[in-house]
Amino acid sequence: MKTSKISQLILLSYLLPSAVWAADIEENEKIDSSKLEVITVTAQRRGENIQKVPVAVTAMNAEMLEKQDVHDLNTIATRVPGLSFSPFAPGQNIISLRGASSNDDGAGTDNSVAVFVDDVYLGRVSNVNPEMFDIERVEVLRGPQGTLYGKNTIGGAINIISKLPSLDELDAKLRLNIGNYGRRDVAGYINGPLGDNVAAKLSFSSRKNDGWVDNVTLNKKQKDNDVFAGRAQLLYEGDNFQALFSGDYSKLDVTDMARTPVDTGAKDDPAVWSPAYVAACKEGAPFCAAGAVDGYAKQKAYGVSAKLTWDLDLGELISISAYRDSESDWNMDATGSPALALIDDIIDNSDQFSQEFRWVGQNDSFNYVAGAWYMNENTDRSECFDLSPDTDCSTGMDGSDFYHQVNETNSYALFGQLDWKFATDWILTVGGRYSYETKEIDNVAKAGNFVIINENFGIDSPVTLKESWGAFTPKVALKYTVSDDTTAVSYTHLRAHETEADLV
């Protein structure tokens, strides 16, 4: 009996994080416990009851995010079934949904799981893990979402929606968290009307803690945290028009990731790393590190956007214009062993402009979404390997193994989706997206002192590669409503071929 109760508790603790919470239920609203909560999501680019959406969605509302101290994709992944987040470094983020992921971080690569913040696509893996604060809800869409989201969503999509400024009354909040290892979190906002039709909001979040890993070789603490993020929003609401202007800034500055080597037992495993680490670290991972070099990770990112919405007789016309810029630099000891320090230094800078036009409408028999999307992205990425912690990775002139890429991506898409209620309990959904993309990348690779890059692979002068792709992505879904609480869906989502390929 005791074992049975423990098993039930373990099962319950696994199922609870996957519960979907209401994103738009007011705090003081009384809910009849005998009925399902009405949960509104925008998984299909318009507000819908989650029970009626033919997509596998997990949603977390503001209250749940705050209570569970969710502040980035890493903490989201521990609470969403099928989602994993495995950052090799702060600038090398690997997101996986149902096992679909992209592990390469080259300047010409894209993720298989797309992240959107207020409908703005985040492209680079080095800047795909935004700080989450003052958030209305997070929606995780599992499975291919290419029709409405496109841009490499073969694994799924993650929507992060911030809270809008309020036209009702002045509101302010300050939140403080204090914990061990010197943890001190401060977050807050001030929000309210500036006039009859205008409201503004300023919000910020700061998270800091001291290092909690003992580096016995350097005699110091590692794996600290220092993150700051801020957002400003201005909202205008007229009779048939709404304008939302947003600007955000974030900064990260942390020390080495405190890597620990693992002896796999394989014949070709560099076992010299593990015995040296074990001899130095009696306590063992993860609280002990023995790397001979102290690295760092520094990131800065900012963005501005304008979302304009016209409420017309036949539906809503939405325009979303956005610009984003990010700078990342991380220097890390790739081995984590006192016996051998291999320095991996990476600089990744990118800027992105995107524009989307969307038409959303409905009547008694039809719901429809149609639109056009464009993005231009420029990435400059350098990576070098050496034995010296003073490696200069900006030029590759110090004799290190050096790899430099400059890439420009231009993406275009036309998309549409139609829901037809052709009978009382039946809805047929058809959709499609045509995507066209070009990539042009300059590559330079030089074999240096450590020869991570083979001499035969060395390229002394830039080599330019250019390629284009086009594809049509269709979608068909048939939905039958058995009852108010039960829906059966037959769902087909095909992808002709990947339009966002890799250039390395």
Side-chain angles (χ1 to χ4, degrees):
M1 180 64 68
K2 183 177 181 180
T3 303
S4 177
K5 290 183 178 180
I6 293 175
S7 299
Q8 292 175 8
L9 287 174
I10 293 175
L11 179 61
L12 184 61
S13 67
Y14 173 77
L15 293 176
L16 280 177
S18 66
V20 182
W21 293 75
D24 63 342
I25 296 179
E26 296 182 1
E27 183 176 350
N28 298 323
E29 183 179 354
K30 295 182 179 180
I31 302 173
D32 186 350
S33 60
S34 65
K35 297 181 180 179
L36 287 174
E37 296 179 354
V38 178
I39 305 164
T40 301
V41 296
T42 53
Q44 297 193 111
R45 298 300 198 186
R46 61 175 180 269
E48 294 178 287
N49 183 343
I50 194 172
Q51 296 293 330
K52 308 300 182 183
V53 177
V55 179
V57 185
T58 296
M60 303 177 70
N61 73 346
E63 182 181 3
M64 186 178 183
L65 294 170
E66 183 173 339
K67 285 184 176 180
Q68 298 196 24
D69 193 28
V70 172
H71 50 77
D72 58 11
L73 289 182
N74 189 40
T75 46
I76 283 284
T78 61
R79 294 157 174 83
V80 175
L83 175 66
S84 65
F85 183 74
S86 307
F88 184 71
Q92 294 173 285
N93 300 296
I94 302 173
I95 309 173
S96 175
L97 259 174
R98 291 179 172 175
S101 67
S102 300
N103 298 336
D104 201 341
D105 57 356
T109 61
D110 296 288
N111 286 310
S112 296
V113 179
V115 178
F116 296 83
V117 177
D118 291 333
D119 290 324
V120 177
Y121 172 75
L122 302 186
R124 289 296 300 145
V125 294
S126 58
N127 189 38
V128 78
N129 186 23
E131 186 72 9
M132 297 185 192
F133 63 103
D134 194 30
I135 297 299
E136 179 68 28
R137 68 183 179 276
V138 176
E139 303 170 359
V140 180
L141 287 62
R142 294 183 290 276
Q145 308 296 329
T147 302
L148 294 179
Y149 291 87
K151 195 58 185 172
N152 253 28
T153 54
I154 194 68
I158 301 174
N159 280 334
I160 302 169
I161 300 99
S162 63
K163 294 182 179 179
L164 292 177
S166 173
L167 287 164
D168 296 331
E169 59 183 2
L170 182 65
D171 181 25
K173 181 178 181 179
L174 184 66
R175 180 187 179 190
L176 303 175
N177 280 340
I178 299 176
N180 58 348
Y181 298 104
R183 177 178 175 178
R184 49 213 183 273
D185 298 351
V186 183
Y189 66 81
I190 183 169
N191 170 35
L194 300 179
D196 293 339
N197 303 98
V198 181
K201 175 187 280 191
L202 294 174
S203 55
F204 77 96
S205 172
S206 174
R207 293 189 295 110
K208 294 183 179 181
N209 64 261
D210 301 330
W212 52 273
V213 177
D214 287 314
N215 187 306
V216 295
T217 301
L218 300 176
N219 192 28
K220 66 173 296 185
K221 295 283 189 179
Q222 291 182 318
K223 223 172 179 60
D224 64 340
N225 198 21
D226 187 353
V227 181
F228 174 84
R231 181 187 299 116
Q233 293 177 304
L234 182 66
L235 175 69
Y236 169 81
E237 281 197 0
D239 293 337
N240 300 303
F241 175 72
Q242 182 189 82
L244 176 65
F245 302 96
S246 302
D248 64 87
Y249 172 81
S250 63
K251 179 181 179 181
L252 177 146
D253 188 356
V254 298
T255 59
D256 194 84
M257 283 68 72
R259 299 187 181 280
T260 56
V262 176
D263 187 355
T264 65
K267 293 182 179 179
D268 56 349
D269 185 62
V272 64
W273 299 349
S274 293
Y277 166 79
V278 172
C281 268
K282 302 299 184 182
E283 184 179 359
F287 295 99
C288 184
V293 176
D294 190 16
Y296 60 84
K298 303 178 185 292
Q299 290 182 320
K300 293 181 181 180
Y302 70 89
V304 291
S305 66
K307 183 177 181 179
L308 311 178
T309 304
W310 292 267
D311 190 0
L312 307 176
D313 292 338
L314 297 178
E316 288 185 341
L317 176 61
I318 303 170
S319 169
I320 304 170
S321 308
Y323 175 81
R324 300 206 60 82
D325 187 282
S326 66
E327 300 177 3
S328 301
D329 181 9
W330 61 101
N331 181 296
M332 55 188 177
D333 179 3
T335 69
S337 170
L340 176 64
L342 172 59
I343 309 304
D344 185 6
D345 191 11
I346 302 173
I347 300 174
D348 188 303
N349 300 324
S350 68
D351 61 77
Q352 168 191 309
F353 171 78
S354 62
Q355 174 65 53
E356 180 174 353
F357 294 103
R358 191 188 311 157
W359 182 268
V360 182
Q362 64 181 20
N363 54 39
D364 293 339
S365 299
F366 297 99
N367 292 332
Y368 49 88
V369 178
W373 186 77
Y374 168 73
M375 186 198 73
N376 172 264
E377 180 187 81
N378 297 277
T379 300
D380 189 321
R381 187 179 190 276
S382 300
E383 182 170 9
C384 53
F385 299 88
D386 210 328
L387 301 178
S388 170
D390 299 323
T391 296
D392 180 7
C393 197
S394 61
T395 62
M397 300 301 293
D398 60 353
S400 63
D401 288 33
F402 179 70
Y403 193 26
H404 184 214
Q405 297 178 314
V406 178
N407 177 71
E408 180 179 5
T409 297
N410 284 283
S411 298
Y412 311 83
L414 295 173
F415 60 90
Q417 182 168 301
L418 175 69
D419 296 340
W420 175 30
K421 188 175 182 179
F422 61 91
T424 302
D425 297 319
W426 291 87
I427 294 179
L428 174 66
T429 299
V430 294
R433 185 185 190 99
Y434 178 77
S435 302
Y436 182 78
E437 180 161 294
T438 64
K439 290 180 183 287
E440 183 173 349
I441 187 168
D442 295 328
N443 294 272
V444 175
K446 295 181 179 180
N449 298 332
F450 199 71
V451 198
I452 287 292
I453 301 174
N454 188 282
E455 292 181 0
N456 295 327
F457 188 65
I459 305 172
D460 293 331
S461 58
V463 172
T464 300
L465 303 173
K466 186 175 182 179
E467 190 57 83
S468 301
W469 303 266
F472 176 70
T473 304
K475 171 184 176 179
V476 178
L478 183 62
K479 181 171 66 175
Y480 174 66
T481 304
V482 180
S483 66
D484 291 339
D485 302 332
T486 306
T487 300
V489 178
S490 176
Y491 179 73
T492 302
H493 194 135
L494 304 175
R495 194 174 184 88
H497 58 79
E498 288 292 342
T499 62
E500 295 82 27
D502 300 342
L503 286 176
V504 296

